[in-house]
Amino acid sequence: MMSAKTPEPVADLLYGMPEIAAFLGLKTPQARHLADKGTIPTFKVGKLTCARRTSLTKWLADLEASARRDR
């Protein structure tokens, strides 16, 4: 049994750029551009670009923390 803090592995996955973009509140082309530049943490499953919600959430938290330090 998994703890409440650990999401189910499949539920944590976002399959395809439309899902990743929706999670981030972006348009699909914007998310694709960030993924192509290596800005957001994504990976390929075959030809499909995927990401983990937890990785994207951590990435956003790190950006926020960095912005606070830079003030």
Side-chain angles (χ1 to χ4, degrees), residues 20-42:
I20 295 167
F23 181 79
L24 294 173
L26 301 171
K27 293 180 181 179
T28 301
Q30 292 171 314
R32 187 178 324 279
H33 176 73
L34 292 173
D36 289 346
K37 286 178 35 181
T39 303
I40 58 175
T42 60

Side-chain angles (χ1 to χ4, degrees), residues 6-17:
T6 306
E8 293 292 329
V10 174
D12 189 37
L13 287 176
L14 297 167
Y15 294 94
M17 290 311 300

Side-chain angles (χ1 to χ4, degrees), residues 24-67:
L24 294 173
L26 301 171
K27 293 180 181 179
T28 301
Q30 292 171 314
R32 187 178 324 279
H33 176 73
L34 292 173
D36 289 346
K37 286 178 35 181
T39 303
I40 58 175
T42 60
F43 57 94
K44 294 281 192 174
V45 175
K47 292 185 177 183
L48 189 64
T49 302
C50 300
R52 293 192 179 277
R53 285 178 174 88
T54 50
S55 296
L56 293 172
T57 300
K58 182 183 180 321
W59 171 73
L60 288 169
D62 291 348
L63 281 178
E64 183 179 13
S66 176

